[in-house]
Amino acid sequence: MLDGSRFTEIGAGGIGNPRSLVAQSMAWYDGHVYLGVTHPTGEGPEDAARILRYDVRADEWEVVYESPLVQADENAIVKDVYRGEGARALGKLQDEEQLVPQYRGFRCMAVFQKAGSDRPVLFASTLSHWGSQLIASEDGRNFHAVCEPGLGDPDTLSFRSIITFKNKLFVSPVGSVKEGVMDRNFGDVAKLFVSDDPLNGGWEEAMPHSFDDVTNLSVFCMAVYNDQLYAGTGNPERGFELWRTDADGKPPYKWTRVLTRGAERFNVNETTASMTAFNGALYVGSGLPGLGYDKAHDVGPAAAELIRVNADDSWELLVGASRFTRDGLKIPLSLMGPGYDDHANSALWAMAAYKDAIYVGTHHCQAFHDALGGAEHIGGGFQLWTSQDGEHWEAVTMDGFDDPFATGVRTLLPTPIGLFLGTSTHREVQRLWTKRTGLPIQREGTGLSVWLGR
């Protein structure tokens, strides 16, 4: 297992743009690491989303793609439903003719190879107020859009999860922008699309809308395990559900429900934030948006849980709250409560299996709460946990590698040369904190970081 001393920071300060705060997506393609960065607002050309490529031998980052600019309109300034009615809108315009980025982020990446082709293709999903698109590259340098905005729904903010399974590419639309309001997590109905030739379209719906339950508002996360595709939903009314399919035959496929009602913790397990296969089982991490309290749906506050699903659909609680369920009494096998015994871990945001261990990275809200509450000192920082059996856990870091403003592990990518970790870093919260407290800035600079463990 990797401990904290085995991780080295290989990119910092937003890697060339301090306004790049979130290392939101990564992929291993053609012997390089590709990183998609996200900007929280998209206020002007300086917030154009970028894709960077990391050359391991040269230890250098290179920008290989940058979002085009579009004329700002009413979609450039939106209200975030998770910030409450009194919060200011995201975005501001300097003048009426301002250009803004069409894409302010890249939410997911995947490598896909069409059956019969000898060349894999890198896909990235954009985060856009004018309809998310998939962009693709066959050489790692030249990218182009390969679908219409939102696959026909221009209100779609992003495709949160894209994954390859049985020579098909699956994409899940998540979030919406309409009538001046942005919801980054949910739309009106949960959908999932599939294509065996995504460069040329051919998209079909892979599941019944919302799995025939209108309270499922998105397919939040996907993973492949035991020759099945697993799809976890976001459901603010009843809690997430987990479904699986073999994806044989023609879509929409036959699906089997594995978990319901947030693994019977109900809606405080609102979303499936992350999943990965490890040691013959599927690990599922839950999450709550909005700093651990979903203001839009009045859910929480609560910390996240970790669940292990077996091939026969039985499940075990690894980290979380003991409870009676229809499957019997569930007690966390790690003997750790929600959030790894930390109420500020609102989501198990990223998860990866690397060599002989599994790694789970959290979204930690303490820095936001300290800043907004005017505490004397801002603390926190993401946590990274590791285990070889899922039941005994060791902390790799408890403080964002000594940075309380590194509030989340947004990406974990296992590669042949090591485990890459991308952060969500928000030192800008100090502006409000210094205004409220009169105290000096605690730490200069801002922007995401990338770490390499090996």
Side-chain angles (χ1 to χ4, degrees), residues 217-230:
L217 298 182
S218 63
V219 172
F220 219 66
C221 189
M222 290 186 284
V224 173
Y225 158 63
N226 193 38
D227 202 32
Q228 299 271 308
L229 176 67
Y230 284 74

Side-chain angles (χ1 to χ4, degrees), residues 32-34 51-55 60-62 64 140-141:
H32 296 81
V33 168
Y34 285 77
I51 295 177
L52 299 100
R53 187 170 85 158
Y54 180 64
D55 185 323
E60 291 180 350
W61 291 94
E62 172 190 10
V64 294
R141 291 188 172 277

